[in-house]
Amino acid sequence: MDIPSAGRWILLTFAAIQLVHAVWALRPALRSRPGERVDPWLEFADPAVGVPVALALAFGNLTAFLVGMAVLGPILAAQLVRSFAARRKNPTSA
């Protein structure tokens, strides 16, 4: 993969932002109570796994990108399923 220089800098900036977000999400994940453990850890895992994915894409490492996406895919799917389940439990009145 040939990533242009501007695109590489954008991806590196995106990875740095995700790293900061992962650090911020770690404290609520560590302090979560037994009944609420999944959502905070998913909120942490999303940017934490996104950092190596963005770095692999920035440096053109296709193998690391595909491995990262294989890990990130189930995390995003779990977040999606949990958000749909939360909406189903608490329907809004329209």
Side-chain angles (χ1 to χ4, degrees):
M1 292 185 305
D2 189 28
I3 305 292
S5 180
R8 184 167 293 156
W9 282 107
I10 290 170
L11 286 168
L12 290 173
T13 304
F14 181 64
I17 291 169
Q18 281 188 318
L19 182 63
V20 170
H21 188 263
V23 169
W24 283 342
L26 182 60
R27 179 171 282 167
L30 291 173
R31 291 186 179 186
S32 62
R33 294 183 305 188
E36 323 169 321
R37 288 187 191 251
V38 175
D39 287 330
W41 280 106
L42 286 174
E43 288 295 321
F44 165 72
D46 182 8
V49 175
V51 170
V53 169
L55 290 175
L57 190 58
F59 293 116
N61 190 341
L62 183 61
T63 305
F65 174 73
L66 291 175
V67 169
M69 288 304 294
V71 174
L72 189 60
I75 293 170
L76 294 176
Q79 284 181 331
L80 183 66
V81 167
R82 291 186 65 82
S83 71
F84 284 150
R87 277 194 200 152
R88 184 172 280 194
K89 284 183 183 178
N90 300 325
T92 58
S93 58

